[in-house]
Amino acid sequence: MKLIRNLLIVGVAFLSNGCTDFLAPTSLSTFDTTLIFSNVDDARKATNNIYRQFGEDGYRTRLSITMQGNSDVDVSGDRTSDKFNNMIITLRALSNNDDLNKAWVSAYASIKDCNVVIDGIKASAAYNSNDAGVKAEMRQYIGEAYTMRAFWYSELVYNWGDVPFPTAAPKAGVDFDLPKTDRNEILSAVIQDLIDAESGMKWADQLPQACQQINREYTLGMIARLSLQRAGYYLKPDMTKAVASAADRTKYYTLAKEYCQKLMTLKDRPLPADFAQVFKNQCENIYPSNSDMLFEVPFAITTGEVGYNVGMRIAGGSHPYGTGAHDYAMPLSYFYSFDIKDKRRDATCGLYNLDKDLIPSIVSSTDIAQAKWSKAYCNPPLGSASAKGTGINWPMMRYADVLLMFAEAENELNGPTGPAKDALKRVRQRAFANEDWSTKVDAYVNNLSGKAAFFNAIVDEKAWEFGGELNRKHDLIRWGNYEEIMQKTVNTLKALGDESAVNSPTATHANYIYWRVDNKKITVYSGVLNSNTPPPNYVAATGADSNGNTLPLVNGWNRSNWTNNLYSTTTNTYNNIIDLKLSPYLVPVIRYIQPIPISAIDNSKLLKNDGYGFN
C-alpha cells in the first residue's frame, strides 16, 4: 500500500491546518508534541504528514509540471495565452498568478510540517532512547523531515531566488514574518542538515515502503544534488548571472563527489537492463528496492497527473484505461539528438497516440509524447472513466543520476579520470546492445579529451537519460548554459525546417514518416532518421480495415508529414512551436525567477517583489 495513501487516511488532525496565510502559525498550540513524539507509532503518523503536500495541486500539477518548463528536451506553453500555467511557462507570470500561489503555499505548508517533526523529535526522550530500535526509528523519521525540507527549499530557491527561511515549528508568541534569506545561506544550511542526518537513516530495503519513502539512498543523492546547485550559477535580482566563489565551487563539488561515492560504495546496484521497464513499474505498481529508482512520489489513486498530463495521449472509449495526454512535447531536435541505436530514444519519445479503440496513429512531429508513462501500461487498468488522479508515481531521483553527478563532480575537480569515465560508461551501457559497447560506450567515452569535452558529454547524457522527467531546467540553470542550450534548440529546429524545404532525396532527415498498424501495433519505418527514401516495396495505404489494420495488409504504408511540419514553403515561416513556446527563451538572460505571490506579500510586512524586473 502506498505511503501517501496511508497518511491521507490517517489525516493527523493536529497538523492538518490549512496554510492560507503565509507562514501563519496557530495562535496557541492545539497539540502536545511531547506526547506525540514520545513514542514511535505517533511519531510515525506525524512524520507521514510531511508527505501531505505531494497530494495537493500546488505540487502535483503546478510545481512538478507547470514550473519545470521549458528546456531543450520538453517544451510547452503559449505566449498568447493568459492562462496561469501558460503565463508561468512563457515567463510572463504576475504576482496574482494563482498557480504560483498554490506552489508557494504548498512549499511552506510542507516546511512547517517538517519543522514540527524536527523540533518535536529533537526535544523528545525517544530521540536518545536507550532502546536501540526506538532510537533508530526516530533518526529515520527526523532524516525524512530534514530531507523533505531540503527538497522544498531547493525548489523555492530555483523558482524564487532568495526566500524566507523558517527552520522552527510554529510557537505561540514567536514572530514568523521573516525577511528573505540569501539562497546560498539556505542551501548551505540544508546540505549540512542532511550530512548530519544521513548516517542515522535506513536504506530503502529496510523500510516498509521501499522507494516510496524517503530513505538513506535518496538523502545521500540529495546531498550531491544540492551541493551541485550550491556550486552552480544562479540569477541575481539585477538580472545578472552569478556563480559560487572558486572556494565554494571546490567545496561543494567535493561534497557532491564524496556523497555520490559514499552511496556507490555502501549501496551500489546494477542499473536494470530494461530502461523502459523502470517507468512501466510505476504504472504497474511495482516498487523495487536496490534498483534504479531511489525515491518516487507515492501518489495515491485520485492524486497525481502522471499518465494524464505527463505521458502518452490516449482517447477515452470503452477500453479500461481512461483518457491521457501530455502538457509537454519532446521537440524534434531532441528526438534527432539520440544515436539511432540508443534504446532510450523509443522508450522516451512517444511516436503514437491511441484512439478510443486503442488503435495507434502517428503523432505530429511537434507533439512527440513522453513515452515513459501511459495509462495503457497500467496494471490493473484504471477504468474507462479515469482521467486525472492516476496514482502513477513520479520519479524524484534515480541511481543513474548519482552516477552522472559523480562523473560531473569528478571531472570538475580532476578532469575526465578513469572513475569519471567508468561512471558515464555504466549509464551508457544500458542504452546500447552489448555488441555495440565497444563503439557506443568504450570508444565514445574514451575519446572524450579534456574537461570541457567530458562536461559537454554529461550535458548530453543527462538529456538522453532523463527526458520527460521534467528535471532538465534545473541542470541548465546551475550549469549556466540555459540561454545557450535554448538558442541551440531553436537553431536546430530551424535547420530541420530549412532542410525539409529543399526536399532533397539525399536529406539526412526525413520529410515524411512512414508507418503502418497491424494487430493494434504500430510499426514506424526505421528510415525516419535517415532520408526521404520510402520503405522497400512501398505501397501507399488505401485505408484501414475494421480492426484498424493498414491496407494493403502486406506492403501498405501510411505517409505523414515529419520535418516539413517545421517550415511552410507557402508562407515561408517556421512552425509556431518556435514563436509560441520557445521565443520567450531567446533572450540574453532567461528570467526563470517567478514573482512572489501577492497573498504572501499582503500577509507579510517584509516581503516584496524587488528586482528581476518585477518592480
Side-chain angles (χ1 to χ4, degrees), residues 361-391:
S361 61
I362 206 70
V363 299
S364 165
S365 60
T366 59
D367 194 38
I368 297 172
Q370 297 112 328
K372 290 178 176 177
W373 305 276
S374 173
K375 293 176 76 174
Y377 303 156
C378 288
N379 183 21
L382 299 177
S384 59
S386 69
K388 293 184 179 183
T390 65

Short mmCIF file of all heavy atoms in Angstrom, two decimals, residues 361-391:
data_model
loop_
_atom_site.label_atom_id
_atom_site.label_comp_id
_atom_site.label_asym_id
_atom_site.label_seq_id
_atom_site.Cartn_x
_atom_site.Cartn_y
_atom_site.Cartn_z
N SER A 361 -1.95 5.72 -33.95
CA SER A 361 -1.65 6.52 -35.14
C SER A 361 -0.45 7.39 -34.83
O SER A 361 -0.15 7.68 -33.66
CB SER A 361 -2.85 7.39 -35.54
OG SER A 361 -3.18 8.29 -34.49
N ILE A 362 0.24 7.83 -35.85
CA ILE A 362 1.48 8.58 -35.67
C ILE A 362 1.20 9.96 -35.09
O ILE A 362 0.16 10.57 -35.36
CB ILE A 362 2.25 8.69 -37.00
CG1 ILE A 362 3.74 8.87 -36.75
CG2 ILE A 362 1.70 9.80 -37.87
CD1 ILE A 362 4.41 7.64 -36.22
N VAL A 363 2.11 10.47 -34.26
CA VAL A 363 1.97 11.81 -33.71
C VAL A 363 2.44 12.84 -34.73
O VAL A 363 3.13 12.52 -35.69
CB VAL A 363 2.80 11.98 -32.42
CG1 VAL A 363 2.34 11.02 -31.34
CG2 VAL A 363 4.28 11.81 -32.72
N SER A 364 2.08 14.07 -34.48
CA SER A 364 2.70 15.17 -35.21
C SER A 364 4.14 15.31 -34.72
O SER A 364 4.44 15.05 -33.55
CB SER A 364 1.95 16.48 -34.97
OG SER A 364 2.73 17.59 -35.37
N SER A 365 5.02 15.74 -35.58
CA SER A 365 6.43 15.90 -35.18
C SER A 365 6.61 17.02 -34.18
O SER A 365 7.68 17.16 -33.58
CB SER A 365 7.30 16.17 -36.41
OG SER A 365 6.88 17.35 -37.08
N THR A 366 5.58 17.83 -33.96
CA THR A 366 5.65 18.88 -32.94
C THR A 366 4.90 18.50 -31.67
O THR A 366 4.70 19.33 -30.79
CB THR A 366 5.09 20.21 -33.49
OG1 THR A 366 3.73 20.02 -33.89
CG2 THR A 366 5.91 20.69 -34.67
N ASP A 367 4.49 17.23 -31.58
CA ASP A 367 3.73 16.78 -30.40
C ASP A 367 4.18 15.39 -29.97
O ASP A 367 3.36 14.53 -29.62
CB ASP A 367 2.23 16.78 -30.71
CG ASP A 367 1.37 16.66 -29.45
OD1 ASP A 367 1.75 17.26 -28.42
OD2 ASP A 367 0.34 15.97 -29.51
N ILE A 368 5.48 15.16 -29.95
CA ILE A 368 6.03 13.89 -29.51
C ILE A 368 5.81 13.77 -27.99
O ILE A 368 6.10 14.69 -27.24
CB ILE A 368 7.52 13.78 -29.86
CG1 ILE A 368 7.71 13.82 -31.38
CG2 ILE A 368 8.14 12.51 -29.29
CD1 ILE A 368 9.16 13.91 -31.83
N ALA A 369 5.31 12.63 -27.57
CA ALA A 369 4.90 12.44 -26.18
C ALA A 369 6.02 11.90 -25.31
O ALA A 369 7.04 11.42 -25.80
CB ALA A 369 3.70 11.50 -26.12
N GLN A 370 5.80 11.96 -23.98
CA GLN A 370 6.70 11.33 -23.02
C GLN A 370 6.31 9.87 -22.90
O GLN A 370 5.37 9.51 -22.19
CB GLN A 370 6.61 12.02 -21.64
CG GLN A 370 7.04 13.47 -21.68
CD GLN A 370 5.90 14.42 -21.44
OE1 GLN A 370 4.76 14.14 -21.79
NE2 GLN A 370 6.17 15.56 -20.83
N ALA A 371 7.06 9.00 -23.58
CA ALA A 371 6.69 7.58 -23.69
C ALA A 371 6.95 6.80 -22.43
O ALA A 371 6.56 5.64 -22.33
CB ALA A 371 7.44 6.94 -24.86
N LYS A 372 7.58 7.39 -21.44
CA LYS A 372 7.92 6.64 -20.23
C LYS A 372 6.67 6.23 -19.45
O LYS A 372 6.72 5.25 -18.69
CB LYS A 372 8.86 7.47 -19.35
CG LYS A 372 10.25 7.62 -19.95
CD LYS A 372 11.17 8.49 -19.10
CE LYS A 372 12.58 8.53 -19.70
NZ LYS A 372 13.49 9.42 -18.96
N TRP A 373 5.57 6.96 -19.64
CA TRP A 373 4.35 6.63 -18.91
C TRP A 373 3.15 6.64 -19.84
O TRP A 373 3.05 7.47 -20.74
CB TRP A 373 4.09 7.64 -17.79
CG TRP A 373 5.24 7.78 -16.85
CD1 TRP A 373 5.53 6.98 -15.78
CD2 TRP A 373 6.28 8.76 -16.91
NE1 TRP A 373 6.68 7.40 -15.16
CE2 TRP A 373 7.17 8.49 -15.84
CE3 TRP A 373 6.57 9.82 -17.75
CZ2 TRP A 373 8.30 9.26 -15.60
CZ3 TRP A 373 7.69 10.58 -17.53
CH2 TRP A 373 8.55 10.30 -16.45
N SER A 374 2.26 5.72 -19.63
CA SER A 374 0.98 5.69 -20.34
C SER A 374 -0.03 4.99 -19.48
O SER A 374 0.28 4.00 -18.80
CB SER A 374 1.11 4.94 -21.68
OG SER A 374 -0.17 4.78 -22.28
N LYS A 375 -1.25 5.50 -19.48
CA LYS A 375 -2.31 4.80 -18.76
C LYS A 375 -2.57 3.43 -19.36
O LYS A 375 -3.08 2.53 -18.69
CB LYS A 375 -3.57 5.65 -18.74
CG LYS A 375 -3.40 6.93 -17.91
CD LYS A 375 -4.61 7.83 -17.96
CE LYS A 375 -5.72 7.30 -17.11
NZ LYS A 375 -6.86 8.26 -17.03
N ALA A 376 -2.18 3.25 -20.63
CA ALA A 376 -2.34 1.94 -21.26
C ALA A 376 -1.35 0.92 -20.71
O ALA A 376 -1.49 -0.28 -20.97
CB ALA A 376 -2.17 2.07 -22.78
N TYR A 377 -0.32 1.38 -19.99
CA TYR A 377 0.60 0.45 -19.33
C TYR A 377 0.06 -0.03 -17.98
O TYR A 377 0.62 -0.95 -17.39
CB TYR A 377 1.96 1.13 -19.04
CG TYR A 377 2.71 1.72 -20.19
CD1 TYR A 377 3.64 2.74 -19.99
CD2 TYR A 377 2.53 1.28 -21.50
CE1 TYR A 377 4.36 3.30 -21.03
CE2 TYR A 377 3.23 1.83 -22.55
CZ TYR A 377 4.16 2.85 -22.31
OH TYR A 377 4.87 3.41 -23.33
N CYS A 378 -0.97 0.62 -17.46
CA CYS A 378 -1.38 0.38 -16.08
C CYS A 378 -1.92 -1.03 -15.87
O CYS A 378 -2.73 -1.53 -16.67
CB CYS A 378 -2.44 1.41 -15.67
SG CYS A 378 -1.76 3.06 -15.44
N ASN A 379 -1.46 -1.63 -14.81
CA ASN A 379 -1.90 -2.96 -14.43
C ASN A 379 -2.09 -2.98 -12.91
O ASN A 379 -1.12 -2.91 -12.17
CB ASN A 379 -0.86 -4.00 -14.85
CG ASN A 379 -1.29 -5.42 -14.54
OD1 ASN A 379 -2.48 -5.68 -14.39
ND2 ASN A 379 -0.34 -6.33 -14.44
N PRO A 380 -3.35 -3.02 -12.47
CA PRO A 380 -4.57 -3.15 -13.25
C PRO A 380 -4.96 -1.83 -13.92
O PRO A 380 -4.52 -0.76 -13.49
CB PRO A 380 -5.60 -3.55 -12.20
CG PRO A 380 -5.11 -2.91 -10.94
CD PRO A 380 -3.61 -3.01 -11.01
N PRO A 381 -5.79 -1.90 -14.98
CA PRO A 381 -6.26 -0.68 -15.64
C PRO A 381 -7.02 0.21 -14.66
O PRO A 381 -7.62 -0.27 -13.69
CB PRO A 381 -7.17 -1.20 -16.75
CG PRO A 381 -6.73 -2.60 -16.98
CD PRO A 381 -6.30 -3.12 -15.64
N LEU A 382 -7.00 1.51 -14.94
CA LEU A 382 -7.60 2.47 -14.02
C LEU A 382 -9.10 2.67 -14.24
O LEU A 382 -9.76 3.35 -13.46
CB LEU A 382 -6.89 3.82 -14.14
CG LEU A 382 -5.40 3.81 -13.80
CD1 LEU A 382 -4.79 5.19 -14.02
CD2 LEU A 382 -5.18 3.36 -12.36
N GLY A 383 -9.64 2.11 -15.32
CA GLY A 383 -11.07 2.22 -15.57
C GLY A 383 -11.38 3.19 -16.70
O GLY A 383 -10.66 4.18 -16.90
N SER A 384 -12.45 2.93 -17.42
CA SER A 384 -12.77 3.72 -18.61
C SER A 384 -13.10 5.17 -18.27
O SER A 384 -12.94 6.05 -19.11
CB SER A 384 -13.95 3.09 -19.36
OG SER A 384 -15.09 3.01 -18.52
N ALA A 385 -13.55 5.44 -17.06
CA ALA A 385 -13.91 6.82 -16.68
C ALA A 385 -12.75 7.58 -16.08
O ALA A 385 -12.89 8.77 -15.75
CB ALA A 385 -15.07 6.79 -15.69
N SER A 386 -11.58 6.97 -15.95
CA SER A 386 -10.47 7.63 -15.26
C SER A 386 -9.90 8.77 -16.10
O SER A 386 -9.83 8.69 -17.33
CB SER A 386 -9.36 6.63 -14.93
OG SER A 386 -8.72 6.18 -16.10
N ALA A 387 -9.50 9.82 -15.43
CA ALA A 387 -8.86 10.96 -16.09
C ALA A 387 -7.67 11.37 -15.23
O ALA A 387 -6.67 10.66 -15.18
CB ALA A 387 -9.86 12.09 -16.28
N LYS A 388 -7.79 12.50 -14.51
CA LYS A 388 -6.75 12.88 -13.57
C LYS A 388 -6.76 11.94 -12.36
O LYS A 388 -7.62 11.09 -12.23
CB LYS A 388 -6.96 14.32 -13.11
CG LYS A 388 -6.77 15.37 -14.18
CD LYS A 388 -6.91 16.76 -13.59
CE LYS A 388 -6.68 17.84 -14.65
NZ LYS A 388 -6.74 19.20 -14.08
N GLY A 389 -5.77 12.15 -11.48
CA GLY A 389 -5.73 11.33 -10.29
C GLY A 389 -5.37 9.90 -10.58
O GLY A 389 -6.00 8.96 -10.09
N THR A 390 -4.32 9.70 -11.39
CA THR A 390 -3.96 8.36 -11.85
C THR A 390 -3.31 7.51 -10.77
O THR A 390 -3.36 6.29 -10.83
CB THR A 390 -2.98 8.44 -13.03
OG1 THR A 390 -1.75 9.04 -12.57
CG2 THR A 390 -3.56 9.26 -14.17
N GLY A 391 -2.67 8.15 -9.78
CA GLY A 391 -1.94 7.39 -8.78
C GLY A 391 -0.61 6.85 -9.27
O GLY A 391 0.09 6.15 -8.52
#
